[in-house]
Amino acid sequence: MFTTRPELSGDFGMVASTHWLASATGMGVLERGGNAFDAAVAAGFVLQVAEPHLNGPGGEVPILLWSEAEQKVSVVCGQGVAPAAATIERFAGLGLDVVPGTGLLAATVPGAFGGWMLMLERWGTWSLADVLAPAIHYAEHGVPVLERISATIGSVEELFRQDWPTSAATWLPDGNVPEPGSKLANPVLAATYRRLVAEAEAASSSREGQLAAARKAWYEGFVAEAIAEFSATTAWRDSSGEVHGGLLTGDDLAGWSASVEEPLTFDYRGYTVAKTGPWGQGPAFLQQLALLDGFDLDGMGFLGADYLHAVTEAAKLAFADREAWYGDTDVPMADLLSPAYNAERRRLIGDRASLELRPGAPGGRAPRLPVFPDPGTASDAPGLSGARKPQGVGEPTVSRDGMVKGDTCHVDVVDRFGNMVSATPSGGWLQSSPTIPSLGFCLGTRAQMFWLQEGVATALRPGARPRTTLSPSFALRDGKPWLAFGTPGGDQQDQWSLNFFLAVVHGRLNLQEAVDAPMFHSEHFPSSFFPRGSRPGVMHVEDRVDAGVIEELRRRGHEVEVQGPWSLGRLSAVARDGAFLKAAANPRGAQGYAAGR
């Protein structure tokens, strides 16, 4: 099979990510004696600078990792929680029935910094100054402006000029949208990180003491103070069309910390896949595997009509359960993954495409769905007031013409010791919320994933995590650590990642072949993002899928929208494969790269 670049193979270390600067940074850490955890942290902070339209310091990061010393997979939860003042009643008092997709009201506690610091402290070896040095360099001296950075800033230029002047000051250098190929710096962010390092080094001479001091400065010190003051004393137009202040306080930040959790796992034909808990959408990957375990995917033929139909219909059922059951609450995952439940659900997959949203009743429990917008609601629907078409909302991934707009980042690392990391940082992107002028970054908008409806799994409540779409992946083969992988893509993450995994397992492709293989996904179920639109029966396929297969899918009732040949998916992966370490990265969008030797 044609590949855009080789599958990398070596025995020293591998890094794959959504931006070449992050991959090169991570590889540089490995070359200088750092381990996979050090490399992932350094790369993660560089991603905040190199892909500011996709993530930022005010965002979040879930991480799956394999520790060779501990011989286990762990989840690091860098997902912040809703503020204490964020109640359904508070939003109702503002005349809102959905959380806006932009602005201060949608902010949760910024969890990315805490997540990266927890992994660095527990499993890493490098100091705070060392892991932040590359990000500080790029923030101070500038990064090359990607076409998509320029396009993103251009799309919100009017918003910045009219309503968000602090963002205009940061992202419109000399008053203009930066041109592709130019250099874009963020000296205020560089100064923020320099101050963190200085305060940490003044507080302690030990690595652990410095990391603890940095966390304190972020969640209780000067960073928290600036966030709390900005949230309490300023107000900005958001996607509702109205002007609102924020709800985050210093107490919210001081009361939160990143955590280490056990992963959820599912065994599939000799492989064990690990995901986060159902506070994220990751278990939908496992549910899809549980459903597909009853199909002969090998006999169907990779990317044939039967294969694409079965995978798509399984996704519809798994994501319907996501809508009814997932959240930061008591989720019946044992029942949702049980053989009996999946045998019953599997019988719902027939020869025709389903046009219904069909959650199940695990353990006899009755599902409860939120009240969704009408099917067919466009992703660019106007704000509630209708005053202005909202800009910068949600987590846009694929436009109708198949162009990847971007939404999130991803990084995978494996080192010579056998440690592995899969991390999906996101949120706090430049178009999400006004820039805090003293810090050089903005808050995230992940609270838009809560529902302002009592009694549903994702109902807003103080101190709860929003049901994030961020979904890194890890897999063992025959009980041994094997594959760390993931992709940006919002609701598509656990479709594209699954497609990649199946391409390796059933298509028998190597990592780069699986990344490059024609991609597809469903838009059948409601979006996790404002304004929550759905398109029942719609599936997207790259036009490299056989035309006869596309026609057969349409005959079965799928509304197939054919996209450009290299438009869907942004996968990267690293693996331990016998005596070798391997890696691959996505060519789509011309920015993802793998590095290794």
Side-chain angles (χ1 to χ4, degrees):
M1 176 179 171
F2 167 79
T3 59
T4 56
R5 46 187 83 160
E7 177 189 62
L8 302 188
S9 183
D11 62 6
F12 180 79
M14 296 283 165
V15 184
S17 83
T18 49
H19 198 290
W20 68 87
L21 290 179
S23 297
T25 296
M27 196 63 205
V29 172
L30 297 181
E31 294 284 6
R32 288 182 289 155
N35 64 20
F37 313 112
D38 303 318
V41 174
F45 280 105
V46 166
L47 285 171
Q48 295 174 0
V49 183
E51 296 188 293
H53 58 314
L54 308 181
N55 79 140
E60 46 272 327
V61 60
I63 305 168
L64 269 76
L65 62 89
W66 171 269
S67 165
E68 188 67 7
E70 296 174 352
Q71 287 289 294
K72 64 177 293 188
V73 182
S74 296
V75 174
V76 174
C77 176
Q79 173 59 64
V81 300
T87 64
I88 293 175
E89 294 75 20
R90 181 69 174 267
F91 280 83
L94 295 172
L96 297 172
D97 57 10
V98 297
V99 178
T102 61
L104 298 182
L105 281 177
T108 55
V109 173
F113 188 82
W116 291 126
M117 289 299 101
L118 178 57
M119 182 170 71
L120 181 65
E121 179 181 36
R122 180 160 169 176
W123 291 282
T125 64
W126 274 31
S127 70
L128 176 72
D130 286 340
V131 296
L132 283 180
I136 291 171
H137 168 85
Y138 286 119
E140 199 163 59
H141 297 283
V143 295
V145 174
L146 301 165
E147 286 188 13
R148 285 171 178 79
I149 293 178
S150 179
T152 299
I153 296 175
S155 73
V156 290
E157 178 185 6
E158 178 187 354
L159 174 71
F160 284 5
R161 293 189 190 280
Q162 293 188 17
D163 298 309
W164 295 2
T166 60
S167 295
T170 305
W171 303 109
L172 298 175
D174 303 319
N176 299 308
V177 175
E179 293 290 331
S182 64
K183 235 181 182 185
L184 181 63
N186 189 343
V188 178
L189 178 60
T192 295
Y193 282 143
R194 286 192 184 281
R195 182 174 173 182
L196 273 174
V197 171
E199 290 195 7
E201 291 181 341
S204 177
S205 60
S206 72
R207 190 184 81 95
E208 291 74 15
Q210 290 173 7
L211 295 177
R215 278 198 302 272
K216 187 175 181 66
W218 190 275
Y219 291 103
E220 299 179 52
F222 78 96
V223 175
E225 291 167 0
I227 290 173
E229 179 182 9
F230 190 78
S231 184
T233 64
T234 69
W236 309 84
R237 189 176 304 279
D238 57 37
S239 61
S240 72
E242 307 299 332
V243 174
H244 296 113
L247 302 176
L248 267 181
T249 68
D251 288 344
D252 293 321
L253 277 85
W256 180 87
S257 60
S259 58
V260 178
E261 303 176 1
E262 295 297 314
L264 275 177
T265 62
F266 184 79
D267 293 331
Y268 178 83
R269 304 186 187 187
Y271 302 88
T272 300
V273 178
K275 301 292 289 189
T276 72
W279 50 266
Q281 74 172 7
F285 187 119
L286 308 183
Q287 285 196 249
Q288 290 172 90
L289 286 181
L291 289 163
L292 293 170
D293 205 15
F295 289 93
D296 181 14
L297 294 185
D298 290 326
M300 291 178 178
F302 179 61
L303 294 183
D306 290 341
Y307 179 99
L308 267 65
H309 175 77
V311 173
T312 300
E313 293 304 297
K316 292 176 182 179
L317 294 175
F319 280 85
D321 278 346
R322 181 194 73 167
E323 294 307 309
W325 297 107
Y326 289 19
D328 194 8
T329 185
D330 184 19
V331 180
M333 284 311 309
D335 289 324
L336 288 167
L337 293 173
S338 69
Y341 178 77
N342 283 281
E344 176 187 348
R345 296 282 280 164
R346 198 177 296 120
R347 286 194 288 270
L348 295 176
I349 300 177
D351 294 333
R352 300 283 299 172
S354 170
L355 300 181
E356 300 175 77
L357 189 68
R358 301 180 291 180
R365 304 168 184 85
R368 181 168 180 184
L369 289 169
V371 179
F372 297 110
D374 291 336
T377 302
S379 59
D380 59 354
L384 292 182
S385 71
R388 182 182 301 177
K389 178 178 174 180
Q391 297 170 293
V393 300
E395 197 171 20
T397 302
V398 184
S399 64
R400 292 289 175 260
D401 62 3
M403 286 296 294
V404 178
K405 295 180 181 178
D407 60 300
T408 295
C409 307
H410 188 79
V411 59
D412 303 296
V413 187
V414 59
D415 64 26
R416 65 189 185 277
F417 312 111
N419 302 305
M420 302 177 75
V421 176
S422 174
T424 310
S426 186
W429 43 77
L430 65 89
Q431 66 273 30
S432 66
S433 192
T435 299
I436 301 172
S438 62
L439 298 177
F441 65 84
C442 61
L443 294 172
T445 52
R446 196 63 56 174
Q448 68 181 283
M449 309 183 87
F450 287 112
W451 286 91
L452 302 182
Q453 299 174 24
E454 296 285 2
V456 299
T458 48
L460 175 66
R461 71 178 193 277
R465 292 172 288 190
R467 190 206 67 202
T468 179
T469 54
L470 305 178
S471 193
S473 303
F474 192 88
L476 297 90
R477 184 171 60 188
D478 298 324
K480 298 179 180 179
W482 169 50
L483 185 66
F485 60 108
T487 179
D491 294 296
Q492 283 77 55
Q493 287 184 31
D494 283 297
Q495 297 186 74
W496 291 344
S497 291
L498 177 79
N499 296 344
F500 165 81
F501 177 79
L502 296 177
V504 176
V505 173
H506 292 288
R508 293 170 178 78
L509 305 183
N510 71 32
L511 300 187
Q512 192 62 51
E513 289 172 334
V515 167
D516 285 352
M519 190 58 71
F520 63 98
H521 70 265
S522 172
E523 284 195 343
H524 175 82
F525 45 85
S527 169
S528 295
F529 295 92
F530 176 95
R532 310 273 192 173
S534 64
R535 307 181 70 212
V538 172
M539 66 181 296
H540 290 246
V541 300
E542 289 185 342
D543 66 7
R544 293 180 294 137
V545 171
D546 183 82
V549 169
I550 293 173
E551 188 57 36
E552 173 60 18
L553 290 170
R554 286 174 172 154
R555 190 191 68 79
R556 297 185 188 194
H558 297 277
E559 187 177 334
V560 181
E561 295 189 358
V562 179
Q563 308 295 350
W566 297 94
S567 57
L568 306 180
R570 293 178 65 207
L571 269 297
S572 64
V574 299
R576 291 171 56 177
D577 190 2
F580 292 104
L581 307 177
K582 295 184 176 180
N586 173 54
R588 300 165 179 87
Q591 65 191 68
Y593 260 92
R597 69 173 179 86

